[in-house]
Amino acid sequence: MTLLALGINHKTAPVALREKVAFTPDSLVEALASLKKVDGVDESVIVSTCNRTELYVNTQHESATALLEWLSNFHHVEVDEIANNSYVLAADDAVKHIMRVASGLDSLILGEPQILGQVKQAFGDAKHSGMINTEFDKLFQHTFSVAKRVRSETEIGANAVSVAYAAVQLAKHIFAELPKRSVLLVGAGETIELVAQHLKEQGVSCLAVANRTISRAEALAETLDASVFTLSQVPEHLKDFDIVISSTASQLPLIGKGMVEKALKQRRNMPMFLVDLAVPRDIEAQVNELGDAYLYTVDDLQHIVQKNLQNREQAALEAEKLIEKQAGDYMSWKQSQQSIDLVRQYRQKGMEQRDDVVEKALAQLTEGKDAETVLSEMAYKLTNTLLHPTTLALREAAMHDDPALSRWLGQALSLSDTTSDIKK
């Protein structure tokens, strides 16, 4: 069996193609059942996210042609379009790849943690569909262990590398108990959605969304269990929030120095943390002149992100070394299992040959043939039967002039240390 990985990701294909070959949760069950019918496929896992679609398959074939054709047929996409924008990895290269993916080393944002959960979900779906046997169970469990080690033994995930994540991490530094703090999100676009996601992951529950279009704010607030109000209501509610994060398309500032100063007085000078992710600015720069207001702009966060990205790249080098070692350990285990299977098959075949010779000998004795003659003939046939494959292997080694193989065969068969006699 050969481990193959066929994939399309953000490095190899445009989003238009990635969308075509993505699997929805509903289509995944059907896909796994369909993939199971492909000739030679024994085990499979399908990983499908916004940035990648990957098939991991344990198969009798060394080529990915059948997988390409299956993916093409399932999604009704030209096979050449997939082939020209995809990658195929086999054996230890495929093992290293799945470990890199699960550890966040192959992600659009280096070291992002969500991919590990997505790979775990993909493995769970495959197992539920009956597509996991011993080998893949060992591979993926080992992969999950490696990914955890990468996160615990390196700094790959310690620093923020997106402005949205950096904003939330800064808030954690300023407020020791972030989940107990109240947060106002101004705007309802993609950046604010990402900020909201990070806040929820940190356990923040007191959230409000203010937006020019109330329906857009309500759509975001519904997923957060947050309150909603319009931009014109921000001045009266500002005092109620410890953290304000803003990202709108406004051409003029929405939150001025006077508005914040008034809110601070109403809060009895309890500090406020404000993050302006908008360009042009949503919050007047003069807010930073107030003693209890901590204002960060997108430029401030970009400096933090750039420095943290450099730290992550260094951590990624350490992670690669760890993965190299762990992938080697898995391949050693796999080879040991193959040798165990080979020995089992060899012994089984030997016993079958023995039983066949003995059965024929007993039949001859029953017919009244001389016992000594029967035993002598049985010993001769059994010896020839068992030694024939070994003799062929020794001759093959000699014909190919392979000293290393000849030496190994000689040692394995308890022959002399020299192998010169093999060629005679």
Side-chain angles (χ1 to χ4, degrees):
M1 302 298 288
T2 301
L3 170 62
L4 291 179
L6 167 65
I8 287 177
N9 66 14
H10 58 281
K11 299 176 184 176
T12 66
V15 66
L17 178 57
R18 299 203 305 271
E19 289 174 340
K20 290 180 184 178
V21 298
F23 294 89
T24 65
D26 291 336
S27 68
L28 193 59
V29 175
E30 178 190 351
L32 286 166
S34 173
L35 189 53
K36 192 173 186 177
K37 297 176 183 177
V38 175
D39 179 52
V41 170
D42 184 55
E43 302 175 273
S44 64
V45 171
I46 299 175
V47 177
S48 185
T49 72
C50 58
N51 285 324
R52 73 179 65 246
T53 291
E54 294 182 332
L55 311 180
Y56 293 93
V57 175
N58 204 17
T59 174
Q60 297 173 10
H61 305 299
E62 295 184 0
S63 168
T65 301
L67 299 181
L68 279 167
E69 292 176 350
W70 176 85
L71 190 60
S72 168
N73 293 331
F74 191 89
H75 287 295
H76 308 292
V77 178
E78 289 294 331
V79 68
D80 287 344
E81 186 177 7
I82 297 176
N84 293 335
N85 293 276
S86 62
Y87 45 89
V88 176
L89 302 167
D92 55 340
D93 288 332
V95 172
K96 292 174 189 174
H97 182 71
I98 184 57
M99 291 181 179
R100 294 185 75 255
V101 168
S103 300
L105 300 186
D106 195 58
S107 297
L108 181 62
I109 299 176
L110 182 64
E112 59 94 3
Q114 288 81 14
I115 186 63
L116 176 56
Q118 292 166 331
V119 175
K120 283 185 175 181
Q121 181 64 50
F123 172 76
D125 292 337
K127 193 166 188 176
H128 183 73
S129 297
M131 295 300 292
I132 302 296
N133 296 325
T134 303
E135 193 166 319
F136 262 28
D137 188 67
K138 176 74 173 181
L139 170 61
F140 280 86
Q141 294 299 342
H142 191 53
T143 294
F144 301 148
S145 175
V146 170
K148 289 178 182 178
R149 286 188 61 184
V150 166
R151 302 204 74 79
S152 63
E153 297 179 20
T154 75
E155 298 293 312
I156 193 68
N159 303 296
V161 290
S162 73
V163 290
Y165 189 48
V168 175
Q169 291 299 305
L170 269 177
K172 281 182 66 177
H173 287 300
I174 292 175
F175 296 103
E177 297 179 319
L178 186 59
K180 295 182 179 180
R181 301 298 173 174
S182 54
V183 181
L184 170 62
L185 302 175
V186 183
E190 184 178 338
T191 300
I192 288 296
E193 287 184 14
L194 191 56
V195 170
Q197 178 184 335
H198 292 313
L199 287 169
K200 292 296 286 186
E201 289 173 355
Q202 293 297 326
V204 176
S205 58
C206 185
L207 288 163
V209 180
N211 194 51
R212 193 179 308 279
T213 306
I214 199 71
S215 59
R216 183 74 181 269
E218 288 175 340
L220 175 59
E222 186 177 354
T223 65
L224 305 171
D225 193 23
S227 55
V228 174
F229 46 83
T230 63
L231 294 180
S232 61
Q233 294 175 295
V234 169
E236 64 181 283
H237 291 288
L238 194 60
K239 67 181 187 303
D240 300 323
F241 298 96
D242 304 307
I243 301 168
V244 179
I245 302 176
S246 184
S247 179
T248 74
S250 175
Q251 296 302 302
L252 296 172
L254 301 173
I255 300 173
K257 179 182 178 182
M259 188 191 303
V260 176
E261 189 172 22
K262 181 180 178 181
L264 286 171
K265 288 179 180 178
Q266 292 172 317
R267 289 169 58 83
R268 297 180 182 180
N269 293 320
M270 288 176 57
M272 290 181 68
F273 173 58
L274 302 99
V275 182
D276 190 351
L277 300 179
V279 179
R281 295 183 180 186
D282 282 342
I283 304 173
E284 286 184 348
Q286 290 79 5
V287 168
N288 228 359
E289 298 172 4
L290 301 173
D292 294 309
Y294 301 89
L295 173 62
Y296 285 81
T297 68
V298 68
D299 287 341
D300 297 325
L301 296 180
Q302 286 288 10
H303 292 311
I304 295 172
V305 166
Q306 187 59 38
K307 182 179 178 181
N308 289 347
L309 186 57
Q310 292 173 357
N311 292 338
R312 281 200 177 189
E313 288 171 349
Q314 180 59 42
L317 296 177
E318 300 173 18
E320 295 283 7
K321 293 178 182 178
L322 176 64
I323 288 172
E324 185 78 24
K325 168 68 167 57
Q326 293 302 314
D329 289 348
Y330 171 77
M331 292 304 295
S332 295
W333 171 84
K334 183 177 179 180
Q335 289 168 1
S336 71
Q337 291 300 113
Q338 291 174 338
S339 66
I340 290 172
D341 290 341
L342 189 62
V343 169
R344 186 184 297 114
Q345 293 171 17
Y346 179 73
R347 290 180 62 85
Q348 180 65 30
K349 185 176 180 180
M351 287 187 286
E352 289 174 356
Q353 291 170 331
R354 176 205 62 191
D355 292 342
D356 181 59
V357 172
V358 169
E359 183 180 351
K360 290 178 180 178
L362 289 174
Q364 289 177 326
L365 290 173
T366 302
E367 292 171 0
K369 287 192 175 182
D370 178 64
E372 186 175 344
T373 301
V374 169
L375 286 174
S376 177
E377 185 179 336
M378 181 185 74
Y380 176 79
K381 287 182 178 180
L382 184 59
T383 300
N384 277 350
T385 299
L386 295 178
L387 292 183
H388 180 67
T390 306
T391 303
L392 290 179
L394 290 168
R395 287 177 179 172
E396 189 76 14
M399 288 175 62
H400 286 83
D401 194 21
D402 190 337
L405 178 58
S406 298
R407 191 179 306 109
W408 181 86
L409 283 169
Q411 292 172 348
L413 299 172
S414 300
L415 301 178
S416 61
D417 291 337
T418 60
T419 56
S420 58
D421 291 339
I422 294 176
K423 296 184 180 181
K424 295 181 180 180

